[in-house]
Amino acid sequence: MNRLIVYVIISFGLIYSSAIKSQSLSNESSSIVYQRLKKVNTVASVLYIAAHPDDENTRLLSYLANEKNFKTAYLSLTRGDGGQNLIGKEQGEALGLIRTNELLAARNIDGAEQFFTRSNDFGYSKNPDETFAIWNRDSLLYDVVLAIRKFKPDIIICRFPTTGEGGHGHHTASAIIAEQAFKAAADPTIFPDQLNKFEIWKTKSLFWNTFNFGTTNTTSPEQLQIDVGVFNPLIGKSYGEIASESRSMHKSQGFGTAKQRGSNIEYFKFLQGDSVKKNLFENCNSSWSRFEKTEQLQQQINECLKKFNIDFPSQSVNDLIQIHHQLNAIENNNSLFQHWKKIKLKEIEELILSCSGIWLEANSANYSAVTGEEISISVQAIARNSVNAILKSISFFNDSDSLFMMNLTTNKFYNFKYLKKLPTTIQNTNPYWLNKSPLQGMYHVSNESLIGTPVNDPQTKIKFDLSINGFNLTVFKSIIYKSTDPVKGELYRPLEILPPVTINFNEKVIVFPDLQSKSIKLIVKSQTKNLKGILRLTTKSSCKIILKDSVINLLEKGEEQVIEAIVIPDKNFSSGNIEAIVQLSNQTVGLSIQRIEYDHIPYQFILSNAQTKLVFIPLKKVGTKIGYIIGAGDDVAPCLSQLGYQITFLNDEQLTKDNLNQYDAIVTGVRAYNTIDRLQAHYTKLMEYVKNGGNLIVQYNTNNRIGPVLAKIGPYPFTISRDRVTDENAKVNFINTSHQILNSPNKITSDDFTNWIQERGIYFVSERDVNYEAILSMNDPNEKASDGSLIYTKYGKGNFVYTGLSFFRQLPAGVPGAYRLFVNMISLPKNK
Ligand SMILES: [Zn+2]
């Protein structure tokens, strides 16, 4: 008998279910099992290549995966770290982690697979030259070639052209790299080190999936066409419907889309390789007949499909076992055959499990554990269809097997309890690409076998050895934590392996506007029982740190100790970091935890060095009270409170009732006018506030499909455009050097525009009423200058400012010039 391994991983490999957190490995309906059975007959694959999460054509992917039954994958060059987050405050790497999981949630619906490269999304770039100046082109090519050699696609489809109609520089770069990799993957002289594990691969043809994005139409009637608007009765949805569910997983980008029904044509342009006349797939034999000695196999699969009984799928188990034996016995050394054999044997094993109605799960009593900890695990098993199932053994973390030989009576629920010690070789859970600081444009991945994979493989797997109608099968399941929420119902979360203690500073950046001492706070949280240790803070900055308490003594897991420290700058004080560690009896731990929790993706967190940034920004300020209207979410308010401002968050009720004249300035958070339609109701009151002498500072809002402006903003009309300056070092010109925003109370110079991050700003003003005055002008290389980054007008006794400058990125990063400029806007004096 064969001893085989089936990897079944929670939250993946389940097609057509939504709501990731409430997802268990349920047995599938007969129609889905039948759909997957049909797939066993198809041996062809398609790789789709683009640059970001959301670039992929989910309609085409779901059609290819479920109508053509091709093995279909999307290779996104980046994880989308550089975009704006529409659902929360996470930016950069944390946003990339959200989008990685959104892509997996999307693939879970449309049935395609997901790959990445090590390139990171550093923000918008206007052309591929700008992109390749930051990405390491060689490493990127390496990763794309590796993906092709591993996946062996019959055809590759690009979303974008090399000629620039795709807009974003990353888009064009993705097409350039795809063309290059298409050739390079077949060339044994390129990246020969990959050939130790994988062979060269010659993809038959490369296509461009042309598009009509409204503003740009690259489709034309003479191009190759596929009608992807087909209805799939087994799934009960058209591919336009599946595509919308899949695309709507890109929630952090606001890509909820309507469901399309009826015929829908996709267009393609042939680019390279074997040319085609009518059909993308005319050079691909997608059936088993592409391989020798498979006649009987095909016959058996067709027979199994014909005999499939939707009421009794278990009747197909023996046929599937025979198909497995048949495929396994075919002797054909062709490496492509061997590639497909492995894939299809696994699919057949999963079908045997599904047809048997076998459900297996391993739950821990807590959602987290530390290495070496003893945890209680309950293992549950049930065979719900009538088969002869035996649970032969269960083994934990490569331990010796717990012998069973337990016959699983049909539909009887088995629950076994264990106390098991987690091996000390298990490491803290962390996204593998975030374990080390990224290189410029590129994530650092030290374990080469992880390159291209979407997320870490769970470390805590349990092995089930089963016999089903005499067929031996091994199933791996990772340990999960399951709870029941009174509102949401049953929730799943992966078992987290955490350090024994985590240390989080309350603020990521501590700003010193002068040499006064400051109190800072840290939260030390125990992730295990009976934690005893000593907290130590270190810094290379010229300052003294007095810890109010350094003894950590936490009895219970999850308990927290809030500790205060005073930072006393001396006269040579300059910017730097404070690092925190807790010294335990057997080890030193210095990690903080950032949790990311949304309903549409599994629970996430990032462990990183416990530190905070000290920034010395000598500045003068006027005023003390700021009213802050929270928009889509940003960290600007806590940064301003670092300077000593008192911040009041103004909600709808306060905007209605409060006397706004008490505030020296009212600041709106990013995209407030996109997310709060009630601002229309408060427009008159806000204008009265300005007229009476207040300062209203409006940070960027978008004006497009994702975020139309919902209310009037300023006292006079202006138009928000998509103009932006993405070069964070772009020269900034002062239009009127004597303007008070540039002079009072802090003199702004070109130095204040050094060390900015990612970009200068976005969504600049294009047209404006004559009453507005433009303060700054700037442009990206080879572009016309824009003067819409910061506009100002007097209104009555007060002042109004709209700014697209990306303060929401610069202030949390501790960029001194951004603080000084922001303070000047808050400090604008009353007009006579
Ligand atoms: Zn994109």
Side-chain angles (χ1 to χ4, degrees), residues 50-56 74 78 121 159-160 166 168 170-171 253:
H52 308 114
D54 87 352
D55 288 345
E56 81 278 20
Y74 173 42
T78 74
D121 175 4
R159 167 84 282 189
F160 300 107
H168 200 319
H170 296 175
H171 292 168
Q253 324 206 39

Side-chain angles (χ1 to χ4, degrees), residues 505-510 594 611-614 635 642 812:
F505 285 91
N506 267 6
E507 307 295 345
K508 280 188 200 132
V509 49
I510 318 277
Q594 179 186 5
Q611 59 179 28
T612 188
K613 205 165 166 181
L614 303 177
D635 279 324
Q642 291 278 321

Side-chain angles (χ1 to χ4, degrees), residues 94-232:
L95 182 58
L97 181 58
I98 293 175
R99 295 207 171 148
T100 296
N101 283 280
E102 290 182 336
L103 276 174
L104 290 178
R107 296 297 80 82
N108 205 40
I109 291 168
D110 60 38
E113 296 168 53
Q114 184 61 50
F115 306 129
F116 293 96
T117 75
R118 287 169 291 172
S119 290
N120 62 28
D121 175 4
F122 53 83
Y124 195 82
S125 68
K126 288 179 175 168
N127 58 62
D129 298 337
E130 205 180 294
T131 304
F132 286 129
I134 294 181
W135 282 351
N136 181 330
R137 188 166 173 168
D138 235 33
S139 307
L140 175 60
L141 182 66
Y142 183 95
D143 292 3
V144 178
V145 167
L146 183 65
I148 295 171
R149 286 173 175 172
K150 272 187 184 174
F151 190 69
K152 300 181 189 290
D154 291 292
I155 62 171
I156 295 178
I157 303 174
C158 298
R159 167 84 282 189
F160 300 107
T162 54
T163 40
E165 293 93 324
H168 200 319
H170 296 175
H171 292 168
T172 310
S174 76
I176 294 170
I177 282 291
E179 283 203 359
Q180 206 183 342
F182 177 84
K183 287 196 189 112
D187 184 341
T189 64
I190 297 179
F191 307 129
D193 63 302
Q194 293 180 357
L195 303 179
N196 296 329
K197 275 193 176 166
F198 307 98
E199 293 184 309
I200 55 161
W201 179 249
K202 189 172 181 317
T203 308
K204 287 196 188 74
S205 320
L206 176 71
F207 300 95
W208 166 31
N209 178 198
T210 58
F211 47 77
N212 182 357
F213 291 156
T215 46
T216 318
N217 183 5
T218 55
T219 65
S220 66
E222 76 281 0
Q223 290 172 357
L224 297 155
Q225 301 180 16
I226 305 178
D227 184 353
V228 297
V230 183
F231 175 73
N232 184 325

Side-chain angles (χ1 to χ4, degrees), residues 13 64 103 118 131 146 157 330 337 350 506 539 654 728:
L64 292 170
L103 276 174
R118 287 169 291 172
T131 304
L146 183 65
I157 303 174
I330 294 174
F337 174 78
E350 284 168 356
N506 267 6
T539 182
Q654 280 158 313
E728 66 271 30

Side-chain angles (χ1 to χ4, degrees), residues 30 69 99 150 183 332 683 767:
S30 288
N69 289 317
R99 295 207 171 148
K150 272 187 184 174
K183 287 196 189 112
N332 182 341
Y683 174 75
E767 282 119 57

